[in-house]
Each structure stands twice: as C-alpha cells, then as structure tokens.
C-alpha cells in the first residue's frame, strides 16, 4: 500500500487509485505522545490485533509517532473520511492502558486545561517502558585504579562509590562528561554488569508482622478494611493527631488489598520521607515496596512500570508522578501527609495529586485514603458536607501525650542583639542537653541568610534572572537563587562600590541558626536538615541513623524535617519565627502556617518522654498562634472556614490563574492585555489583572498574571477554553493556566 494514502492527518492531498482494493480495517482514534493538536483517526488493519488502550506506532506526515488507541468506532463530523485514513504501523507489546486510566487522562486534560498528549506523557512516563524486554549493560566501579588518573577521573570515581548505572546516568551522577565515563570503562576502572530489566518483585506478606492496634486505631482500620473489601469508590480522610499511628492504621487497609489480590499506591510528598517509610513498610510486610520517583534510572522505571501494568508489583510507594502508573488491578490509593502542598505540580500539567488521586478512585472504583494530622481545609469541608468519609484518631499511640505548647513573645523575651534564639528557648535547649535528650529548631529558610547587602553602599545581591535575592549558603560558599538555581561565589568586594569585606548577611536561615547554637552551646552536636543536605534517599537515611543513634543533639531544619519522622528522644521543638509564613498574606498563609507549626510541634515527645514546644512570635495573640497554644484546632479551622466562605474563596468559590511570560517585557504585557481585554462577561465570574506577577521575572522571563475568581456554578474550564482558545500570541509568549492555584507568585 505504501504511500497510497498520504498524510490524512495533515490534510495533504489524497491521490486515489481506482484499481487498488480498499484496505479493510477498523477506524481507531489515537492520542499521540508528542503533539498538541487533538486525537487523530487511523485505520487498524484487519490483520493487526489491538485493543482500545493499546500503544501503537502511527505515521504523522513523514514521521513515525507513538500513541495510544483511545477509542474505536465512528466519531462525529470532524472524522477524517474513510478512504483518507492511514494505517496503524505497529502495535507495541505492552498491556493496554485501561479505560479508567484513559478517563482519568481525559479528566485531567479537561479540568486543568491541558492537552491529552501532555497528560498521556505522564502515563507513559518512560520511553523505556515501551521497549522490548531483555537486558541492559550497566557499569560500576571495579576497584581497579586507572594507570592515568586525571583529576576528572578521580573525581568521577569518588562520586561513584557504590553506584551502578548506564553510562549517561553515571556521567550525570558524577557531574562529568560521558566521555570520561567511557574512558574509565575502557581502562577497566568501571566494569560492565548485565542487568535484566524485568527482574521479579518480592511479594509483600499481609501477615508478616501485624501490630496490635489500639481501639482507636482499630476502629479506623476496620472502616478502611471494609472499604477495600467493598471495592467501590470511597474517599476517606484519615485525620489523626501527630503520633497517633496513622501509618500502622492505614497499613491494615493495604494488607486487606493485598489479601484480595489488589494493587496499592501510597503517595508520599518528599523524597526524604521515603527511607523511614520503606523501613516501616518492610517491618510490617516483610519486603520493601516498589518505589517511583524522579531520581530513578531508566531500567528501574521500566521494571516498575511493566511490573505495575502486568500486575506483578503489588505496592508502589511513590512521589506524585506515580499517580499515573498503569495499575492492572488497583484497589487502594493512600495519600500520606495529604495536606502537603508539594502534591501540587507547578509546571507542565499543573495538577494537584491529592485531587487527581480521588478522581482515579472514582473512575476505577476503589477507596482513596487522605491521611494527615492537619487535613487541608478543602478536605475537612468535603467531610463536613458528607462527600468524603471522616475517620479520626484523636490521641497519640501508647503512653505518648501531645506536647505542651507555649508562645514566646519576642518583644518581651528578646534574643541578644544579632541573635534569634530567645533566652527561654535557649534555656530549654540547655536542659535537653543536660538530660541527653534531643531538640529540633524549625525555620523554613534554607541557607545562611536570605539577603546579602553591602554595608558601604547598600547594594543588594539580586538574581540576574529572577525577581529574587541571592541567598547565601555558607556551607558550600555560594550565593544561590532558590527560584532558578543560579549560583555565584560570594565576591570579595562589592560589585557596586568595590568596598572590600563590606558584605553583611541580613536575617537568619537555618545555617545561621546553627552557627548561633554552636556559639551559645559549644558542646551541642548539631545537624542542618534541609533539601540542600538531605537531597537523596541515602542522605535522608544517614540523617535518620545519626539522630536515632543519638549522634546529634540539636536538629536545625526546614519543613522537610517536620513531618513523617519519628524520633523517640526528641522532646523539644523551637519554632524560630512563626510570623514568617503569615507575612505573605496569600489565600492559604494562615492555614499553611498552622499546618507547618502543628507538624513541627508534632515531632516533640512522641514516645514516653513528654514533649515541649516553644513558638517564637512578635504577635502571640494572632489567631493561628493562639489556636496552636490552646490546642484548639477546630476553632482555627472554623474561623478560617468562615472567612473563606465570606470571601468566596476555595472551597466555596474557585480561582484560576493565567500566567503570561516572555523574554520580552513588552510582548508579555501586550499578550496579558489582550487576554484581559477579551475576558468574557459572565455572571458570577470576575477577572483581576493583568498585573506584573510578584515574581515579575523568573528564569529570565518577564511574567504577568491574571486571576479569575468564579462561583462554583460557573463552568470555568469551558469558558476559559473558549476565551483563551480564540487568541493568538507571538511565538515567544507562553500562556499557562493554573486551575485551583496554590502559588500566587
Ligand atoms: P503518625 O504518622 O500518626 O504521626 P506514626 O504512624 O508515625 O504516627 O506512629 C507513631 C509511632 O507509634 C511509630 O513509631 C509507630 O511505629 C508507633 N505505633 C503506632 N501504632 C502502633 C501500634 N499499633 N503498635 C505498635 N507501634 C505503633
Ligand atoms: Zn533566579
């Protein structure tokens, strides 16, 4: 048949040859992985076998593309005429994407105003997933010293102790070129290892080690077990105070799913959470679960993806992207620490994993558990209106009691000049040291100081690419932009006035607090715990081991250490600056501050020894601080809910942000004005802006924002699709839509 039918999709001319027989086959609609126009129709020849959901190779113009058969049959008016259809070229040998997941992709594309291809790429997230099985060759250090040890080779070998991977992966890990790695292979310093891509997975055993549950835990576990047994959609908010044993409790639901041969996904917010989680999982079920996160190698991705699709993997613990894995037989999703805003993806398809998890349960018919000690206001609201089931574990497990919480009024109980730890907190730290107990100081600021300026001329160090200060990281001697990653060494002289040694740090970051602790309590053993220091599961595991082995007295950390960890000897938590989060004033500032401090406080006194928490603030009567001190969570949530209701803010109304960016400021402004100017007048909907975004410049692009506020009854997505779809922009302009935004920068 060759080129008889050309380019149906592209609308190129069709040349009809009367004497050729009509090819026979079935019309199928295919969503391609790499394009932005809608699904295209093809013919599946009779001799080819494929189901709806099968991955296929199809022609597009002169190219071959991978896609998934989304539907078959005849579809409305725009359908390409029968004789113009081009044939599917090949069916790829992977299990078809099931109907529920296809519907989820449709829903995500629709709801978040994205396109099918972009969402489907999150499902087929690894090209290796589709390649044929077999083996790959990885490399690892052989222990042989190369005869010629260049500094680069030495550095690479240093970085690759205990590492194994493809040449590309090793180069990335070691921060050298692939040429350096290949050179090391050649001289025998790295040896080849043949790896089967699809090695089997060990099966978790639901009976391996069942803990005795408390009555409170058992009550909640029973409900979740029943929901799994029912095998029907049911969203459940598992609301248990810190230390109540939520993990042990939802593990019972996991066990139930395993017994009935169903697969389970546990979504976790951060990479650092993974290691302690894996250990606990292994203690309960005998083996570690499969994991899924951005740091995985291609071979690992393929193995897990295939195992999930073929039903050989029973439990996956993963970051939010695991949500789109093609489970053969899913029976439960648990979203752990479900209030975490890191579940919201902020680039590409801007989706919220918590909400998408619930939709997945709906489409595929299974319960979804949202576990948290500080549930999102939205989740609590769904419980209160009866849409989600609410389960509570109101007290800590065993002998542990909730910690005593006290506010330190920084206007009264003042730290020394140039210090940030108030005398009361310092004394409490000293007492812990004497008793051999551990403390945590919480400050949600990485680095040494958030701002550096010149004492002589007042010059402030700003990122050249972003509207942001360069943050000093003293441990690695760098100034870094936390938005784009731009780094520079701290200069010896001010670039503005050339004064030497004139740079002063302003304000504290965790490193500076650590300095202060070391100065005031020289005998204390300290550790800084942030995403800079705990950037891999291995680093996180090291950290946990150090704390558990009591090699550390005082942890100084960001929000990264405030959740998930369970350190029995940790009895004191100090919140350095509770006012920090309240300053931003965005929609969720109060809620987020409440959650962060409650989670940080939740690390104290989790075993027999009682815990104590000090919250440093300039405003002890602020409702957030007052609620934390009183331990009156409901009062806080109720007040916050009432305020949201009055403002028509989520969950009572909806927002969508439109972010326009361009390297050319004029172009960005004009595009934003065009969008603002063409906004439809709809009752119950209001458009704010355009205005320069608070982060007016990001990665070298100028940014403008509009904010759409709508009542729930407004069909926001349809309106916005029509509105924005009718506009054209210059090539350099990017227009992104953020439905249900969490960031207002
Ligand atoms: P949460 O996640 O609710 O803050 P965890 O799940 O971390 O609480 O539980 C706190 C501690 O109590 C953990 O060390 C956990 O292993 C232990 N624990 C909880 N429930 C039980 C139980 N039923 N039997 C034994 N240990 C438990
Ligand atoms: Zn920057």
């Amino acid at each position: 048949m060759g080129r008889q039918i050309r380019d149906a999709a592209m609308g190129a001319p069709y040349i009809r040859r009367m004497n050729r027989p009509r090819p026979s086959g079935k019309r199928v609609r295919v969503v391609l992985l790499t394009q932005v126009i809608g699904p295209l129709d093809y013919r599946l020849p009779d001799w080819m076998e494929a189901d709806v959901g099968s991955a296929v190779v199809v022609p597009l113009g002169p190219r071959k593309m991978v896609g998934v058969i989304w539907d078959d049959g005849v579809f409305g008016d725009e359908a390409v005429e029968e004789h113009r259809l081009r044939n599917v070229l090949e069916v790829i040998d992977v299990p078809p994407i099931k109907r529920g997941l296809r519907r989820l992709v449709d829903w995500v594309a629709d709801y978040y105003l994205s396109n099918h291809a972009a969402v489907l790429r999150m499902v087929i997230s690894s090209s290796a997933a589709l390649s044929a099985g077999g083996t790959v060759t990885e490399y690892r250090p052989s222990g042989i010293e190369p005869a010629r040890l260049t500094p680069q080779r030495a550095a690479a070998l240093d970085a690759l102790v205990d590492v194994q991977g493809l040449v590309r992966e090793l180069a990335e890990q070691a921060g050298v070129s692939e040429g350096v790695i290949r050179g090391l292979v050649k001289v025998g310093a790295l040896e080849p290892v043949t790896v089967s891509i699809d090695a089997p997975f060990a099966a978790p055993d639901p009976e391996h080690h069942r803990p005795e549950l408390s009555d409170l835990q058992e009550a909640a576990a029973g409900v979740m077990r029943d929901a799994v047994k029912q095998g029907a959609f049911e969203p459940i908010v598992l609301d248990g105070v810190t230390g109540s044993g939520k993990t042990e409790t939802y593990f019972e639901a996991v066990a139930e799913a395993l017994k009935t041969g169903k697969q389970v996904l546990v979504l976790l917010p951060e990479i650092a959470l993974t290691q302690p989680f894996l250990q606990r999982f292994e203690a309960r079920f005998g083996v570690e679960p499969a994991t899924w996160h951005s740091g995985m190698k291609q071979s690992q991705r393929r193995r897990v993806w295939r195992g999930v699709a073929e039903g050989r993997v029973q439990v996956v613990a993963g970051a939010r992207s695991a949500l789109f894995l093609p489970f053969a037989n899913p029976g439960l999703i648990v979203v752990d620490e479900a209030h975490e805003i890191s579940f919201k993806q902020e680039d590409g398809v801007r989706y919220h994993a918590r909400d998408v998890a619930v939709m997945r349960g709906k489409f595929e018919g299974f319960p979804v558990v949202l576990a948290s000690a500080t549930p999102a206001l939205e989740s609590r609201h769904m419980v209160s209106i009866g849409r989600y089931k609410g389960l509570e574990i109101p007290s800590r497990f065993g002998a542990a009691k909730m910690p005593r919480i006290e506010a330190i009024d920084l206007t009264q109980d003042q730290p020394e000049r140039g210090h940030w730890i108030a005398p009361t907190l310092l004394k409490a730290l000293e007492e812990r040291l004497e008793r051999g107990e551990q403390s945590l100081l919480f400050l949600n600021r990485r680095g040494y100081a958030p701002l550096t300026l010149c004492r002589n001329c007042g010059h402030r160090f700003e990122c050249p690419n972003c509207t942001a200060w360069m943050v000093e990281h003293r441990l690695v001697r760098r100034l870094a932009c936390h938005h784009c990653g731009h780094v520079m060494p701290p200069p010896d002289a001010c670039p503005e006035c050339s004064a030497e040694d004139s740079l002063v740090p302003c304000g504290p970051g965790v490193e500076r607090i650590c300095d202060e602790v070391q100065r005031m309590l020289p005998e204390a053993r300290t550790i800084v715990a942030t995403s800079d220091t705990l950037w891999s599961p291995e680093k996180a595991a090291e950290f946990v081991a150090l704390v558990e082995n009591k090699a550390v007295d005082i942890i100084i950390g960001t929000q990264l250490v405030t959740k998930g960890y369970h350190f029995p000897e940790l009895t004191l938590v100090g919140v350095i600056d509770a006012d920090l989060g309240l300053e931003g004033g965005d929609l969720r500032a109060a809620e987020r501050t409440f959650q962060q401090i409650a989670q940080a406080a939740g690390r104290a006194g989790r075993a027999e020894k009682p815990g104590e928490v000090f919250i440093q603030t300039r405003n002890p009567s602020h409702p957030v601080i007052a609620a934390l001190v009183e331990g009156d969570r409901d009062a806080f949530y109720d007040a916050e809910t009432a305020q949201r209701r009055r403002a028509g803010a989520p969950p009572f109304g909806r927002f969508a942000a439109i972010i326009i960016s361009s390297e050319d400021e004029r172009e960005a402004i004009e595009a934003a004005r065009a969008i603002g100017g063409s906004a439809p007048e709809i009752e119950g909907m209001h458009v704010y802006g355009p205005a320069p975004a608070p982060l007016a410049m990001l990665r070298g692009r100028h940014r403008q924002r509009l904010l759409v506020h709508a009542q729930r009854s407004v069909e926001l997505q349809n309106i916005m699709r029509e509105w924005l779809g009718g506009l054209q922009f210059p090539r350099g302009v990017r227009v992104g839509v953020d439905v249900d935004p969490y960031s207002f920068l």
Side-chain angles (χ1 to χ4, degrees):
M1 250 150 277
R3 313 217 47 83
Q4 177 193 6
I5 296 164
R6 290 178 42 204
D7 246 356
M10 304 299 276
Y14 163 64
I15 305 158
R16 189 154 187 189
R17 306 238 180 99
M18 299 300 290
N19 51 357
R20 291 265 182 114
R22 262 268 190 77
S24 63
K26 177 163 75 160
R27 177 189 289 265
V28 291
R29 181 154 285 184
V30 175
V31 174
L32 300 187
L33 273 185
T34 45
Q35 62 148 19
V36 280
I37 43 174
L40 300 173
D41 290 1
Y42 288 90
R43 178 189 304 105
L44 182 70
D46 282 337
W47 49 268
M48 244 185 219
E49 257 186 67
D51 296 319
V52 179
S54 292
V56 290
V57 179
V58 294
L60 183 72
R63 289 181 296 165
K64 287 182 176 179
M65 313 282 271
V66 174
V68 170
I69 299 180
W70 217 246
D71 239 323
D72 55 7
V74 184
F75 323 90
D77 307 337
E78 340 108 281
V80 185
E81 288 167 73
E82 197 64 34
H83 58 266
R84 299 189 55 177
L85 291 178
R86 296 178 76 181
N87 278 354
V88 170
L89 299 174
E90 189 190 322
V91 179
I92 301 171
D93 184 22
V94 281
I97 305 297
K98 293 173 53 180
R99 181 161 171 275
L101 184 50
R102 294 199 311 274
R103 283 188 64 194
L104 186 77
V105 171
D106 290 337
W107 183 86
V108 170
D110 213 48
Y111 187 88
Y112 293 107
L113 291 163
S114 182
N115 63 71
H116 277 81
V119 185
L120 187 58
R121 279 201 298 277
M122 302 197 291
V123 174
I124 301 179
S125 45
S126 156
S127 50
L130 300 182
S131 61
T135 58
V136 290
T137 305
E138 295 186 335
Y139 296 89
R140 67 176 176 213
S142 61
I144 300 172
E145 277 260 317
R148 199 170 59 83
L149 196 62
T150 63
Q152 265 194 321
R153 285 183 169 184
L157 288 176
D158 271 352
L160 295 178
V161 177
D162 289 335
V163 180
Q164 176 176 320
L166 303 175
V167 169
R168 180 174 41 77
E169 290 160 348
L170 296 184
E172 201 168 290
Q173 173 100 28
V176 298
S177 74
E178 291 182 25
V180 173
I181 300 296
R182 274 192 226 101
L184 286 168
V185 170
K186 221 169 177 178
V187 299
L190 294 175
E191 62 184 7
V193 191
T194 302
V195 183
S196 160
I197 18 196
D198 293 327
F201 291 85
D205 172 9
E207 306 293 351
H208 176 75
H209 178 81
R210 262 205 86 201
E212 189 90 33
L213 296 190
S214 70
D215 291 348
L216 288 169
Q217 291 176 332
E218 181 51 40
V223 174
M224 291 189 284
R225 269 199 298 264
D226 286 346
V228 171
K229 230 181 280 177
Q230 285 286 321
F233 173 54
E234 168 128 60
I236 298 171
V237 174
L238 176 60
D239 175 358
V241 297
T242 54
S244 60
K246 289 182 289 296
T247 316
E248 262 70 20
T249 307
Y250 73 64
F251 273 173
E252 291 313 294
V254 174
E256 186 62 39
L258 290 174
K259 282 184 205 158
T260 50
K262 295 281 175 71
Q263 293 168 298
V264 178
L265 169 63
V266 181
L267 281 185
L268 302 166
E270 321 246 355
I271 195 165
L273 250 175
T274 323
Q275 202 52 38
F277 178 84
L278 297 181
Q279 285 159 4
R280 282 175 76 168
F281 189 93
E282 186 172 356
R284 172 65 181 83
F285 295 107
V287 296
E288 286 194 357
T291 55
W292 185 266
H293 54 83
S294 57
M296 284 163 73
K297 297 185 295 181
Q298 284 291 333
S299 60
Q300 294 169 320
R301 282 178 180 273
R302 182 205 140 87
R303 176 170 174 248
V304 175
W305 197 95
R306 286 272 177 154
V308 165
E310 289 160 11
R312 292 180 287 109
V313 168
Q314 271 134 327
V315 180
V316 176
R320 67 180 174 231
S321 58
L323 190 52
F324 293 94
L325 282 170
F327 288 94
N329 193 12
L332 173 68
I333 297 181
V334 177
V335 185
D336 203 351
E337 310 286 353
H339 63 279
E340 273 292 311
I341 55 164
S342 63
F343 282 122
K344 173 70 163 53
Q345 173 145 310
E346 293 293 353
D347 49 16
V349 183
R350 294 184 167 93
Y351 68 95
H352 198 306
R354 175 197 68 211
D355 297 342
V356 176
V358 171
M359 291 313 289
R360 185 154 193 186
K362 184 168 169 183
F363 290 136
E364 297 187 68
F366 56 78
V368 177
V369 173
L370 310 180
S372 174
T374 51
L377 196 138
E378 282 86 347
S379 302
R380 280 181 57 118
H381 179 69
M382 293 304 256
V383 172
S384 76
I385 61 172
R387 298 270 295 273
Y388 293 5
K389 181 171 277 178
L391 297 177
E392 288 185 28
I393 317 179
S395 60
R396 283 189 162 173
F397 175 75
K401 296 276 171 301
M402 291 305 278
R404 195 180 69 81
I405 303 184
E406 196 178 305
I408 292 180
D409 185 345
L410 287 176
T411 61
Q412 306 300 315
D413 194 353
Q414 287 178 354
E416 274 176 47
R417 236 184 102 75
H419 286 60
W420 284 272
I421 300 172
T424 307
L425 179 54
L426 193 63
K427 192 160 148 279
L429 286 168
E430 264 168 356
E431 284 169 17
R432 294 311 180 293
L433 268 181
E434 277 160 24
R435 295 211 295 262
E437 295 170 9
Q438 294 168 318
S439 307
L440 165 69
L441 294 178
F442 168 65
L443 175 65
N444 211 16
R445 259 196 196 146
R446 291 156 53 206
Y448 187 84
L451 167 67
T452 301
L453 53 75
C454 171
R455 181 189 300 120
N456 189 41
C457 73
H459 174 74
R460 298 167 168 214
F461 283 80
E462 230 180 311
C463 174
N465 313 317
C466 308
T467 315
W469 308 127
M470 295 295 286
V471 178
E472 182 182 358
H473 286 250
R474 200 161 276 193
L475 293 176
V476 290
R477 281 193 48 80
R478 288 256 188 299
L479 298 180
C481 170
H482 286 179
H483 293 285
C484 72
H486 178 79
V487 290
M488 58 192 204
D492 299 324
C494 172
E496 200 63 34
C497 70
S498 306
E500 282 180 27
D501 292 325
S502 67
L503 305 183
V504 283
C506 291
V510 281
E511 290 178 10
R512 197 169 195 182
I513 300 299
C514 186
D515 262 16
E516 182 173 333
V517 170
Q518 285 169 355
R519 229 175 12 243
M520 306 302 282
L521 306 167
E523 71 281 22
R525 295 161 303 166
T526 57
I527 190 166
V528 171
T530 71
S531 56
D532 299 309
T533 56
L534 309 185
W535 43 269
S536 71
E538 292 75 30
K539 292 277 171 196
E542 265 170 44
F543 163 70
V544 171
L546 282 174
V547 181
E548 281 178 350
N549 298 334
K550 297 194 70 177
V552 167
D553 301 306
I554 302 177
I555 306 166
I556 301 107
T558 57
Q559 44 88 31
L560 195 67
V561 285
T562 61
K563 58 207 154 224
Y565 293 107
H566 179 76
F567 299 128
E569 293 296 321
L570 200 157
T571 59
L572 172 70
V573 169
V575 177
I576 298 293
D577 185 352
D579 308 332
L580 194 61
L582 294 169
E583 283 159 11
D586 85 41
L587 166 66
R588 294 183 180 82
E591 181 188 3
R592 197 141 56 205
T593 303
F594 180 84
Q595 287 166 336
Q596 267 179 6
I597 298 179
Q599 292 287 346
R603 296 314 107 196
R606 289 168 68 90
E608 290 82 44
K609 297 177 183 163
E612 198 174 26
V613 178
F614 289 103
I615 303 175
Q616 300 196 140
T617 173
R618 254 160 253 99
N619 192 359
S621 59
H622 190 288
V624 168
I625 311 292
L628 284 161
V629 171
E630 310 274 306
D632 196 350
R633 200 176 69 148
D634 290 347
F636 168 73
Y637 274 113
D638 290 348
E640 186 68 14
T641 305
Q643 192 168 329
R644 296 257 191 108
R645 190 190 299 270
R646 276 195 302 278
F652 304 101
R654 304 180 50 196
F655 288 114
I658 307 173
I659 301 114
I660 301 102
S661 73
S662 167
E663 287 178 13
D664 180 305
E665 186 174 11
R666 274 257 49 87
E667 221 174 54
I669 293 174
E670 269 157 30
R673 281 202 190 129
I675 292 174
S678 58
E681 297 236 353
I682 307 270
E683 193 171 310
M685 183 178 113
H686 193 85
V687 180
Y688 298 93
L695 247 172
M697 176 113 142
L698 180 62
R699 296 185 194 95
R701 300 178 67 85
H702 295 271
R703 301 167 79 245
Q704 294 269 319
R705 287 182 72 106
L706 293 101
L707 187 65
V708 184
H709 182 200
Q711 292 173 3
R712 293 213 78 90
S713 55
V714 171
E715 293 206 19
L716 190 57
Q717 280 86 350
N718 288 342
I719 292 167
M720 291 189 67
R721 200 172 291 113
E722 205 162 299
W723 166 19
L724 298 175
L727 298 172
Q728 297 244 311
F729 304 104
R731 289 182 69 87
V733 171
R734 268 185 233 148
V735 177
V737 178
D738 190 359
V739 176
D740 305 340
Y742 276 66
S743 164
F744 292 84
L745 292 178

